[in-house]
Amino acid sequence: MLKNLFTACWLLGFSTLPSACELTMQAQHFPPRFIKAADGSWTGYNIELFQALAKELGCTSQFLETPWGRSMQLLANGELDAMSNVSYNTQRAQFAYFIGPHQQERVKLVTNLQPAPSKASLADLVHGQHLIAAMQGIYYGTDFAQALETEPAFRQRLMFVTLNQQKLALFLSGRVQYMLEDQINLQQLYLNKTLDPTQHPALFTLYENPVFFAFSKQSVYQLTQERLEAAWQKLLANGMQQQLKQKYFVVVPNREN
């Protein structure tokens, strides 16, 4: 962890050196953002963007493959330095610096029902009868959160999982009739022919918001938010983010009804 490396340098009587700085970020195989090779190495949009950001800070990068919900706890405790694709809210801002945004997230409701509903909304979802797969620890917006609090029957129909592969397996097996999926991930599933856009259409956008790199205030306090923000602005100025978007994201026609 970053704070341990800084502490070690202090105990040895040396000033903090860039070579002693290592930033750890949560990762899961989730193309095109996170791509884990057979040899255990990582590539992908989030990976390369974080590596570039760490380099601007004079640091190296390490990636820890941990579930999202668990990672958020580690971030809050200072046992993990960073996460990506994190939605801002006041609770998380108590323990994390938000740098970015690095992307605009659009969460779609996808169905395997045939025929697919001709129209759908959150209200239809809340008062329906079908099962829905979602990721544990992901923020899906205030309306969704309020529905979970006020509609017990709706909450009972939600199947929360810790890995995206689990969510996809539930959906493809027909054990759930809906799943919540980010638009970019959904496009990748269509392109890879894991899903068929005619058999598994997106019905509507449930939630849309910018997402950020979140850095633990406990573990990166030596860097300061100002230094983190300055490094991010430098990446924007040199075009690194745009280059990586062009490298990893293929735009396909919107298939949402």
Side-chain angles (χ1 to χ4, degrees), residues 21-183:
C21 172
E22 181 182 80
L23 292 169
T24 56
M25 186 177 80
Q26 182 262 359
Q28 284 183 299
H29 182 68
F30 213 28
R33 293 189 177 102
F34 302 93
I35 304 169
K36 187 177 183 180
D39 63 2
S41 62
W42 291 92
T43 57
Y45 172 75
N46 290 35
I47 295 292
E48 290 197 39
L49 191 58
F50 184 75
Q51 288 172 329
L53 182 58
K55 186 176 180 180
E56 288 292 340
L57 293 162
C59 300
T60 59
S61 308
Q62 181 182 4
F63 301 98
L64 302 181
E65 194 170 9
T66 52
W68 180 270
R70 173 60 177 157
S71 297
M72 192 63 70
Q73 295 174 2
L74 295 175
L75 190 77
N77 295 335
E79 299 174 70
L80 179 69
D81 294 324
M83 295 176 67
S84 59
N85 276 83
V86 181
S87 300
Y88 176 92
N89 62 44
T90 54
Q91 180 182 3
R92 292 171 177 174
Q94 294 177 15
F95 59 79
Y97 299 124
F98 283 79
I99 303 301
H102 64 76
Q103 208 164 349
Q104 186 75 8
E105 184 177 62
R106 294 178 179 86
V107 177
K108 303 284 187 177
L109 179 72
V110 187
T111 188
N112 55 25
L113 293 172
Q114 292 295 320
S118 58
K119 67 179 186 68
S121 65
L122 177 58
D124 294 325
L125 201 62
V126 169
H127 300 294
Q129 299 180 341
H130 297 296
L131 300 180
I132 309 118
M135 292 291 293
Q136 184 70 43
I138 297 292
Y139 182 66
Y140 292 114
T142 55
D143 292 342
F144 187 87
Q146 183 177 6
L148 289 180
E149 290 292 328
T150 59
E151 301 287 346
F154 173 55
R155 187 177 187 88
Q156 291 175 4
R157 290 188 289 107
L158 265 292
M159 298 185 68
F160 287 103
V161 298
T162 58
L163 297 175
N164 197 59
Q165 292 87 341
Q166 296 172 331
K167 181 180 66 175
L168 188 60
L170 288 172
F171 184 76
L172 288 173
S173 68
R175 292 178 59 190
V176 300
Q177 292 74 51
Y178 296 106
M179 72 171 180
L180 302 178
E181 188 62 84
D182 177 70
Q183 177 175 275

Side-chain angles (χ1 to χ4, degrees), residues 98-103 210-213 228-229 232-233 236 241:
F98 283 79
I99 303 301
H102 64 76
Q103 208 164 349
V211 288
F212 300 77
F213 288 109
L228 292 166
E229 184 61 36
W232 172 252
Q233 291 301 323
L236 294 181
Q241 184 191 30

Side-chain angles (χ1 to χ4, degrees), residues 221-235:
Y221 59 90
Q222 292 279 4
L223 290 175
T224 74
Q225 185 170 11
E226 291 75 17
R227 188 176 168 191
L228 292 166
E229 184 61 36
W232 172 252
Q233 291 301 323
K234 190 171 181 179
L235 288 187

